[in-house]
Structures are given as C-alpha cells and as structure tokens.
Amino acid sequence: MPTPAANTDGRAGYVLVMGVSGAGKSTIGRALAVRTGGSFIEADDLHPAENIRRMSEREPLTDADRWPWLKAISESALAEMKESGGPVIIACSALKRSYRDVLRQALSPLSIVHLSGPVDLIRARLEERPTHFMPIELLDSQIETLEAPDEHEGVSFSIEDSEAHIVAGALQAIGLPHRGVREA
C-alpha cells in the first residue's frame, strides 16, 4: 500500500500523478486539486528552455537533462506547500524510479498515482494535441524508459476508466480529505 498523502498531524502532503505523455496526468492532477482544495503544479511548465527545444526537435531527454528539472519541481512544490499548507498535486512523467526517489527525498509524504493504458489510446490522445512540445515520436522512448511503480510505491489506474472513477479511486487510495466526488 502506498504512503498516505497526509502527514501524521493530519496536514495534507504531496501527490505525484505520473505516467507517459498523453496518459492524462494534467487532467487527473487538476481534478484532484479541485476535489481536495489543493494546489496544482504542472511539471511541464518547469522544463528549462533547452529541454523543451530538445523534445520539440524529437530528441529524448537524458538523466542529466532531467535532474535540474526535478530539482525545480521539488522547489516549486515546497514553496507551494509553505504558501498553501497543501495538499500539492504534481503532474509529472517521473518515468524512472530514480526520478521519483529524488522527488520523494524532497517531498514527504509523497503519494504516487500512476496512469497507464493501451498505447493506441495514448497515441490517439497525443495526436489530438499537436501544439504540445512533446511530439508523438517520443512516445516509444517514454514507454521504454518507464519503470512503473509497484504496489508498495504507488497506485495505478487505467486511463480506459472515466476521469471520475480514477479520481475517486485515487482519493480513496491516497487517503486525502476531499469534497464529494460524482461518479460519471
């Protein structure tokens, strides 16, 4: 069972919504933030310009490209927690366990919600957003890089389920107090 997102003092913590590009991290992350009254951080907004340039040119990022980005995400989440008191919901690919370890070391407690699904569905979603800097051509490299969390690290949800079902399941699994969730 993943670590609950609330501290022992009842204060809400951090929630990482992760998965490959097109899995719906931003959609689910924003919905979790609304339902919990928390803050939302879009990790894509924190990429350095060089990372965006490389991805736009269909170059996969290396670990060296990602370490400063992960640091920026952590710093932004810590600042948001200080400002708002939490919870802080972060949409970030965090494909490798080592990336999640960096975030977990800085942000505690950190609950992880992994979104996954059929490649054809993810590819179709990416085709619907041609203006995003992450091109569909990099999906295969993301899938190859993905080290999915096991049941001790986080909870996984299929993107074939409705947004409402995923959000309700995530809220129950991570144990955050929340406003009513309507099932669609």
Side-chain angles (χ1 to χ4, degrees), residues 23-86:
K25 299 178 297 291
S26 299
T27 299
I28 298 300
R30 283 186 186 99
L32 286 170
V34 166
R35 300 305 195 296
T36 62
S39 303
F40 176 73
I41 293 176
E42 174 58 70
D44 280 349
D45 294 343
L46 301 173
H47 269 295
E50 178 62 14
N51 284 9
I52 293 172
R53 182 199 63 76
R54 290 187 67 197
M55 287 183 284
S56 296
E57 294 178 2
R58 295 166 174 74
E59 293 178 42
L61 298 180
T62 65
D63 286 353
D65 298 322
R66 292 182 189 275
W67 301 132
W69 175 58
L70 293 166
K71 182 179 180 191
I73 294 165
S74 297
E75 289 171 351
S76 180
L78 289 167
E80 187 58 44
M81 178 63 80
K82 186 176 182 179
E83 176 75 22
S84 71

Side-chain angles (χ1 to χ4, degrees), residues 10 12 20 22 27 34 36 47 70 96 100 107 113 116 124 132 149 176:
V20 298
T27 299
V34 166
T36 62
H47 269 295
L70 293 166
K96 288 186 177 180
R100 296 188 298 273
L107 310 173
V113 174
S116 66
H132 193 273
L176 278 178

Side-chain angles (χ1 to χ4, degrees), residues 27-172:
T27 299
I28 298 300
R30 283 186 186 99
L32 286 170
V34 166
R35 300 305 195 296
T36 62
S39 303
F40 176 73
I41 293 176
E42 174 58 70
D44 280 349
D45 294 343
L46 301 173
H47 269 295
E50 178 62 14
N51 284 9
I52 293 172
R53 182 199 63 76
R54 290 187 67 197
M55 287 183 284
S56 296
E57 294 178 2
R58 295 166 174 74
E59 293 178 42
L61 298 180
T62 65
D63 286 353
D65 298 322
R66 292 182 189 275
W67 301 132
W69 175 58
L70 293 166
K71 182 179 180 191
I73 294 165
S74 297
E75 289 171 351
S76 180
L78 289 167
E80 187 58 44
M81 178 63 80
K82 186 176 182 179
E83 176 75 22
S84 71
V88 177
I89 316 298
I90 306 159
C92 174
S93 55
L95 298 174
K96 288 186 177 180
R97 185 165 283 112
S98 59
Y99 304 161
R100 296 188 298 273
D101 288 345
V102 166
L103 295 172
R104 191 179 293 105
Q105 287 173 358
L107 310 173
S108 181
L110 177 68
S111 293
I112 297 175
V113 174
H114 173 226
L115 303 176
S116 66
V119 174
D120 291 343
L121 177 55
I122 294 169
R123 197 173 301 280
R125 287 178 171 189
L126 290 174
E127 287 171 353
E128 292 175 4
R129 59 177 213 185
T131 58
H132 193 273
F133 62 80
M134 173 66 183
I136 195 168
E137 292 84 359
L138 292 181
L139 178 59
D140 290 338
S141 73
Q142 283 204 329
I143 291 169
E144 289 171 16
T145 301
L146 177 64
E147 297 170 0
D150 62 27
E151 68 276 2
H152 301 292
E153 187 183 10
V155 293
S156 292
F157 294 94
S158 171
I159 62 171
E160 293 176 294
D161 286 335
S162 70
E163 176 184 331
H165 186 263
I166 294 169
V167 169
L171 289 169
Q172 181 178 5

